[in-house]
Amino acid sequence: MSKAKKVLVTGGAGYVGSVVTKHLLEAGHQVTVLDDLSTGFRDGVPDGAAFVEGRIQDTAARVLSSPDSPYDAVLHFAASSQVGESVVNPEKYWRNNVVGTLELLTAMRQAGVRTLVFSSTAATYGEPKSVPITEDDPTLPTNPYGASKLAVDHMISSEAAAHGLAAVSLRYFNVAGAHLTPDGTAYGERHAPESHLIPLVLQVALGQRESISVYGDDYPTPDGTCVRDYIHVADLADAHLLAVDAATPGEHLICNLGNGNGFSVTEVIETVRQVTGHPIPEVTTLRRGGDPAVLVASAERARQRLGWKPSRADLAGIVRDAWTFAQHLHDQESSK
């Protein structure tokens, strides 16, 4: 971001939101975090950011209507994001993700805030027809979570066309790693329940679970396990700051964010063994329904339009940062 801005970060107490907030502060921007703490953590909000507890449906209009110092942009991370939960409780996803964003867009329009960066997802594509996946590929989500994010993307496109919103949607692939600061503070991934592979394998290394489940070893991949594109959360944060500057009035730009390289489940587990020095027992079980064999992004548009290129693409480095945060979190909890 080229000059200091006043920014609202919705969902800034969560994993990605907290790391982006930290990057914004380090770049000299004024940040307010709005989060209802339903899945985020108050101690995850970086020092230096103002904090407002509340839902976007109820609170965004009040926060954005500050007359003395108007906001320049909103970075929107607040959402329900568990795929499995979305299947059994889809109404929660329509209410939180779609209706919540509609209320946020209305509040932005009324307050004259005309720049938005939206946290979208690769789940909007569903089962890919080919890899790497580009932004022009069909969007056929296979679960309500992905469908809700796609609905928001359509909503943002309409807002840009009708009202001149400058908007960028960033479709993440598999986010991992942690942001580590020189003073020893760490911002990383913690979900309850945890569903992502790298933190789950690290829980085995910490003795918090006995083994890691491998869902299928008969996929058409080199070692038979699913292949995913892992992107370091700090690289992801860099893209958000670039997206604010790239946002153009009346345009809704959609960019994939990924490394363009795939790592299999087996490769991830072996990398955790090497980084942590711990044996990681694994149990192979049946495939899960809806798991594509390979999900890898083409991020060429992000390179061209945002000037973004991931600089932390090494899987061992991603795992090493995640391991540092996992140990930090474990030590904190053990001392309570």
Side-chain angles (χ1 to χ4, degrees), residues 86-293:
S86 79
V87 174
V88 298
N89 190 5
E91 60 274 16
K92 175 180 177 180
Y93 285 71
W94 299 117
R95 183 181 304 113
N96 289 354
N97 299 358
V98 179
V99 177
T101 303
L102 178 61
E103 294 297 328
L104 176 64
L105 290 171
T106 301
M108 289 178 62
R109 192 184 325 120
Q110 292 172 345
V113 184
R114 307 312 298 141
T115 300
L116 173 70
V117 178
F118 174 56
S119 168
S120 190
T121 173
T124 55
Y125 295 111
E127 296 275 356
K129 303 299 181 186
S130 61
V131 291
I133 300 169
T134 75
E135 296 84 354
D136 296 322
D137 283 337
T139 46
L140 299 168
T142 57
N143 53 71
Y145 166 63
S148 71
K149 288 284 192 170
L150 181 60
V152 171
D153 274 337
H154 287 308
M155 190 189 308
I156 293 171
S157 292
S158 299
E159 185 76 16
H163 302 294
L165 181 70
V168 180
S169 286
L170 299 175
R171 289 180 174 165
Y172 314 161
F173 280 63
N174 286 54
V175 186
H179 179 58
L180 312 176
T181 64
D183 65 2
T185 307
Y187 300 87
E189 187 169 9
R190 44 177 165 162
H191 301 113
E194 186 56 71
S195 61
H196 295 164
L197 178 61
I198 289 177
L200 285 173
V201 183
L202 292 175
Q203 288 178 2
V204 180
L206 287 168
Q208 296 171 332
R209 61 175 62 231
E210 293 183 359
S211 62
I212 188 68
S213 296
V214 177
Y215 295 101
D217 60 358
D218 57 350
Y219 285 92
T221 61
D223 61 27
T225 63
C226 289
V227 172
R228 296 293 182 263
D229 188 335
Y230 289 90
I231 177 173
H232 196 293
V233 67
D235 281 335
L236 197 76
D238 291 340
H240 285 78
L241 273 66
L242 291 168
V244 174
D245 282 340
T248 302
E251 180 188 31
H252 179 206
L253 174 65
I254 297 174
C255 294
N256 291 338
L257 293 183
N259 281 322
N261 297 312
F263 299 99
S264 72
V265 172
T266 295
E267 287 177 301
V268 170
I269 294 171
E270 183 55 37
T271 300
V272 173
R273 290 188 180 115
Q274 294 172 4
V275 167
T276 66
H278 289 268
I280 308 292
E282 56 185 278
V283 177
T284 301
T285 184
L286 298 175
R287 293 187 185 190
R288 292 182 299 193
D291 269 349

Side-chain angles (χ1 to χ4, degrees), residues 19-41:
V19 175
V20 172
T21 296
K22 184 63 176 176
H23 278 233
L24 288 165
L25 292 168
E26 289 174 348
H29 304 291
Q30 181 182 351
V31 185
T32 298
V33 167
L34 172 59
D35 199 299
D36 67 3
L37 301 182
S38 59
T39 56
F41 299 87

